[in-house]
Amino acid sequence: MQTTQLSNIFSDEERQSLLEIYYSHKEYDTEEMKKAPVCDQTLAIVEDRIRQLIGTDYEYVSGNYYEHTKPFYPHTDFRKEWKESINMVIPLKNRTENYDGKLVIFDQMWEDDSKTWMMTHPVTRFSVNTALSGCPFDYPITGHTNEKMDLLFWQTHLKQFPSWCWQGLSGHTYRYEENSIIIFNNKKLHCTNNFTGSKTGLTLRYKKKHV
């Protein structure tokens, strides 16, 4: 699937309703992301719009709300049992400095179950993704460029870690635009840019139905 960002998919009222669901939680999972589960009420708000975009060949398999107050690590959300799946990121609130929050989606993919690369940080424990020591280039990612990351791309978007950490990766950035939706192959590595402030969103994953 080609990565796509579509603007004005949701109304301000729908976005506010989703935010109210998220903030109604008393506890959140994963300190770095403040994750909260998706509920039936969430799906009721978004389902019709999503079906207009992807049709009926996909079925919902997982999702979560989240809020970042600092850049998050490169990771994937894929599960081998899903075989073919897509990731949908719905930005709900952008409170980054100069509204500069972005989603970075790399060209490279990970064919195994979901992982988070800890880069220069110690390995921690996440409730879903398995944390790995080191950087993506230490592992058999698909599409490794065998080159250093473009210097301007690193300086503009990914200075939260040294440039050598991003070796072998190339990609694109997508604006954290409220009411939009970003759809991409669930195997693709992705992360936040080096933002200041906070970003709140919803991510949903759908797998292709196989007869």
Side-chain angles (χ1 to χ4, degrees), residues 30-182:
T30 308
E31 180 181 349
E32 294 89 347
M33 289 187 72
K34 291 185 65 177
K35 292 165 62 175
V38 167
C39 60
D40 290 343
Q41 187 180 358
T42 300
L43 295 177
I45 294 171
V46 303
E47 186 72 8
D48 286 348
R49 212 63 50 81
I50 285 176
R51 289 300 168 200
Q52 293 173 11
L53 297 175
I54 65 173
T56 58
D57 290 341
Y58 290 85
E59 60 182 324
Y60 172 78
V61 286
S62 76
N64 59 268
Y65 291 90
Y66 60 88
E67 187 167 79
H68 296 294
T69 55
K70 56 185 178 181
F72 195 68
Y73 308 98
H75 64 284
T76 66
D77 301 298
F78 178 68
R79 290 284 173 186
K80 287 190 292 185
E81 65 196 65
W82 298 340
K83 296 183 179 178
E84 185 178 350
S85 59
I86 55 177
N87 201 330
M88 298 184 171
V89 170
I90 302 172
L92 298 178
K93 187 166 68 172
N94 183 354
R95 294 296 179 269
T96 59
E97 185 176 349
N98 299 319
Y99 292 96
D100 193 41
K102 292 182 175 66
L103 175 65
V104 182
I105 302 177
F106 298 103
D107 301 319
Q108 289 67 40
M109 295 192 289
W110 179 251
E111 304 287 342
D112 209 337
D113 286 344
S114 55
K115 299 291 188 291
T116 298
W117 287 268
M118 298 303 296
M119 311 297 266
T120 58
H121 292 176
V123 173
T124 188
R125 186 179 183 86
F126 298 115
S127 60
V128 179
N129 283 22
T130 301
L132 297 176
S133 63
C135 308
F137 69 78
D138 294 315
Y139 298 84
I141 58 174
T142 301
H144 193 300
T145 67
N146 295 309
E147 297 178 355
K148 295 180 179 178
M149 172 169 279
D150 177 80
L151 183 60
L152 181 59
F153 192 84
W154 169 72
Q155 290 176 330
T156 306
H157 305 297
L158 294 170
K159 288 187 71 173
Q160 63 264 41
F161 291 108
S163 60
W164 61 264
C165 289
W166 305 102
Q167 179 180 329
L169 298 179
S170 58
H172 301 82
T173 62
Y174 297 84
R175 302 181 313 281
Y176 209 75
E177 177 187 325
E178 295 172 357
N179 297 336
S180 73
I181 188 168
I182 306 165

